[in-house]
Each structure stands twice: as C-alpha cells, then as structure tokens.
C-alpha cells in the first residue's frame, strides 16, 4: 500500500503542534504529581528528558528528509541497481546507462536514463513498457527515458 507523503512545511507544522500538545500534557502531569508529592520534584526533569527524546527523534527524521531534497539525493527506498537490472531483464533492452534518480521534494521522485534497444524493437512500445514498469514498481512520478538503437 502506498504511503501518503506530506509537504515538508505541513510535516513541520504538524510536528510543532503535536510537540506543543505533548509538552502541555507533560506539564500538567508533572505539575499534578509535584502538587500532591512536593518531594518528587525530580519528575519534572524526567518528563522533560522524555519529551526531549521524542522531539529529537522526529526532528532528526525531518531534517534528514530536508537534506535529501536539498542535496537532490536518490531516495533511500529506491535501489538503483535493482531498478537497472529490472529494465535490463525486459525483452529487447540491450543496455541502460546515465541512470539518475533524485527527489525534488518529499514524495516526488524523478528518473532520467538512456536505454539501448535492439534494432528490430518498436521504440514507442518499448518506451511505454519501460515507463509503466518504473511507475508500477517504484512509484516514480516523472520519468524521462531516451531510447537509443544498438
């Protein structure tokens, strides 16, 4: 099942609101415990450390996604070697080169490559097959393939 991808700005806003809500609950719980047991002041520190770990975990994941987009790196969930081998296994495909995969935002992946086909292959039909395979198997939204004859 395809996972829904969020815009980075929406994801940041959502995490901020969620963090504020968790922090408010933390303050209420810590305050109630200290109200009834004043000698347990350490609970405030413990709750703060737990909150810190939760926020740090979500922030690091979001920062990693942002850096991947800024660096135009290949998404971690796409194995370029496996994709290339899948294309090479198709009938009439001789070679795949200049394969580039990168993300321009979270959830929008682009692919560009050159595919060499046999002289007798129908280039238009082959292009449709290649694009359909890449969309079906890797959910890549924008595909540019240059067909070359052997």
């Amino acid at each position: 099942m395809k996972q829904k991808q969020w815009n980075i700005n929406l994801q940041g806003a959502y995490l901020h609101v969620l963090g504020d809500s968790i922090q408010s609950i933390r303050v209420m719980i810590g305050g109630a415990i200290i109200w009834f047991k004043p000698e347990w002041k350490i609970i405030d520190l413990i709750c703060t450390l737990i909150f810190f770990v939760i926020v740090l975990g979500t922030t690091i994941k979001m920062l990693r996604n942002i850096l991947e987009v800024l660096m135009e790196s290949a998404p971690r969930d796409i194995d370029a070697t496996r994709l290339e081998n899948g294309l090479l296994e198709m009938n009439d495909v001789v070679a795949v080169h200049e394969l580039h995969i990168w993300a321009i935002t979270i959830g929008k992946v682009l692919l560009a490559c050159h595919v060499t086909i046999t002289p007798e292959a129908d280039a238009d039909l082959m292009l449709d097959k290649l694009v359909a395979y890449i969309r079906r198997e890797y959910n890549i939204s924008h595909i540019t393939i240059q067909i070359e004859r052997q």
Side-chain angles (χ1 to χ4, degrees):
M1 181 166 233
K2 191 168 84 172
Q3 180 182 0
K4 182 178 178 181
Q5 297 290 333
W6 286 25
N7 175 304
I8 292 174
N9 296 325
L10 286 176
Q11 184 180 7
Y14 172 77
L15 289 175
H16 184 81
V17 169
L18 183 64
D20 285 350
S21 300
I22 292 171
Q23 179 71 347
S24 296
I25 293 168
R26 180 207 69 85
V27 168
M28 287 187 286
I29 291 171
I33 291 171
I34 293 171
W35 179 277
F36 291 108
K37 296 277 190 174
E39 63 274 7
W40 288 13
K41 291 180 186 169
I42 191 77
I43 198 73
D44 185 47
L45 175 62
I46 293 169
C47 288
T48 300
L49 289 174
I50 291 170
F51 175 75
F52 168 75
V53 170
I54 292 169
V55 169
L56 186 65
T58 57
T59 303
I60 287 174
K61 182 180 177 193
M62 188 173 153
L63 283 174
R64 186 175 38 203
N65 289 337
I66 291 169
L67 284 174
E68 284 179 357
V69 170
L70 289 175
M71 299 304 292
E72 292 184 353
S73 63
R76 281 175 271 131
D77 59 334
I78 296 178
D79 182 356
T81 304
R82 191 174 139 244
L83 189 149
E84 182 177 359
N85 290 337
L87 295 176
L88 288 169
E89 290 174 1
M90 297 180 86
N91 292 334
D92 297 323
V93 173
V94 176
V96 176
H97 57 280
E98 299 296 325
L99 175 63
H100 301 281
I101 306 167
W102 70 100
I104 59 170
T105 187
I106 293 178
K108 183 151 179 134
V109 179
L110 284 71
L111 177 139
C113 69
H114 295 223
V115 175
T116 306
I117 60 173
T118 59
E120 60 275 357
D122 181 350
D124 292 330
L125 182 62
M126 200 69 231
L127 181 61
D128 290 341
K129 283 178 162 178
L130 293 165
V131 169
Y133 168 78
I134 293 168
R135 284 202 173 123
R136 182 182 67 248
E137 296 295 320
Y138 297 94
N139 195 30
I140 295 177
S141 58
H142 185 85
I143 302 166
T144 303
I145 299 175
Q146 180 173 331
I147 300 288
E148 301 169 353
R149 297 249 182 228
Q150 186 177 26

